[in-house]
């Protein structure tokens, strides 16, 4: 059986699924790191996990933008959310997830740039730093990055809950579209 790289209207293609699960795995790491920070406090484990937050967040931003661009490219080929209220709710839920996945790391990158400090990711300098702080750039990230990240987590929990409802209550094939 040939690999279906693109979405085909009935199921998501290999690239969509790979991007979905890569983003999911990295988001689990990000939230686990913040949970360890809150639960354990200062420790070597916390330092390791939180120390990876900026590089993984930057990678997440790149994957999420790639995922959004790929989704737009495949828009007419993607499986339908269905009609009626439930279809509109599914569409709204997915738009909320995409919006938050884009806004949360964008706020962090804006804050980083405005901080005047360099951003080094995986040995590469992405932002040079060495200039005074720009308050209008740091303020939105300071105020909203963490808060919206927890809202994103709540939306992800809702997304997973709906996966379970589709699988075990409604017993439809919605889950199969993303599982392959």
């Amino acid at each position: 059986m040939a690999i279906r790289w693109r979405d085909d209207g009935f199921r998501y293609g290999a690239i969509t699924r790979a991007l979905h699960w890569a983003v999911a795995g990295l988001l689990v790491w990000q939230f686990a790191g913040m949970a360890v920070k809150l639960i354990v406090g200062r420790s070597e484990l916390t330092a390791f996990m939180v120390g990876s937050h900026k590089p993984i967040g930057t990678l997440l931003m790149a994957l999420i933008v790639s995922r959004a661009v790929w989704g737009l490219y495949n828009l007419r080929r993607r499986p339908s959310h269905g009609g009626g209220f439930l279809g509109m709710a599914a569409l709204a839920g997915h738009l909320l997830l995409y919006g938050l996945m884009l806004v949360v790391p964008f706020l962090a990158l804006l804050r980083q740039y405005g901080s005047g400090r360099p951003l080094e990711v995986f040995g590469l300098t992405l932002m040079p730093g060495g200039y005074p702080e720009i308050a209008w750039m740091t303020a939105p990230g300071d105020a909203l990055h963490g808060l919206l990240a927890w809202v994103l987590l709540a939306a992800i929990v809702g997304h997973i809950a709906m996966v379970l409802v589709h699988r075990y209550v409604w017993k439809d094939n919605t889950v199969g579209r993303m599982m392959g």
Side-chain angles (χ1 to χ4, degrees), residues 2-176:
I3 295 176
R4 295 178 191 215
W5 296 101
R6 292 191 62 196
D7 304 346
D8 66 12
F10 299 103
R11 69 190 64 77
Y12 295 100
I15 294 173
T16 299
R17 290 192 317 267
L19 289 168
H20 176 274
W21 293 110
V23 167
L26 292 175
L27 284 170
V28 166
W29 178 261
Q30 292 291 73
F31 285 115
M34 291 301 103
V36 165
K37 179 182 174 184
L38 292 172
I39 295 167
V40 176
R42 291 181 183 255
S43 73
E44 289 182 25
L45 175 63
T46 304
F48 171 70
M49 293 185 81
V50 173
S52 71
H53 194 78
K54 285 182 184 181
I56 297 298
T58 304
L59 177 59
L60 261 169
M61 182 67 171
L63 286 173
I64 291 163
V65 168
S66 298
R67 187 173 175 201
V69 168
W70 181 254
L72 290 172
Y73 176 68
N74 279 282
L75 191 59
R76 299 214 188 282
R77 300 174 60 102
R78 295 179 81 91
S80 169
H81 287 98
F85 174 76
L86 292 177
M88 292 301 293
L91 177 61
H94 283 106
L95 289 174
L96 176 67
L97 283 168
Y98 272 99
L100 287 169
M101 286 189 301
L102 288 166
V103 167
V104 169
F106 172 78
L107 288 170
L109 288 170
L110 181 67
R111 175 177 60 191
Q112 179 68 38
Y113 185 79
S115 75
R117 295 186 312 262
L119 175 61
E120 294 180 5
V121 176
F122 304 115
L124 300 171
T125 300
L126 298 182
M127 296 178 193
Y131 47 85
E133 179 178 334
I134 304 167
W136 71 263
M137 290 180 152
T138 58
D142 288 344
L144 296 172
H145 175 72
L147 174 65
L148 291 179
W150 294 115
V151 172
L152 173 59
L153 180 59
I156 290 168
V157 169
H159 181 69
I160 293 168
M162 288 312 300
V163 166
L164 296 173
V165 166
H166 277 283
R167 177 77 172 115
Y168 297 108
V169 177
W170 296 336
K171 298 180 182 181
D172 61 21
N173 192 35
T174 299
V175 176

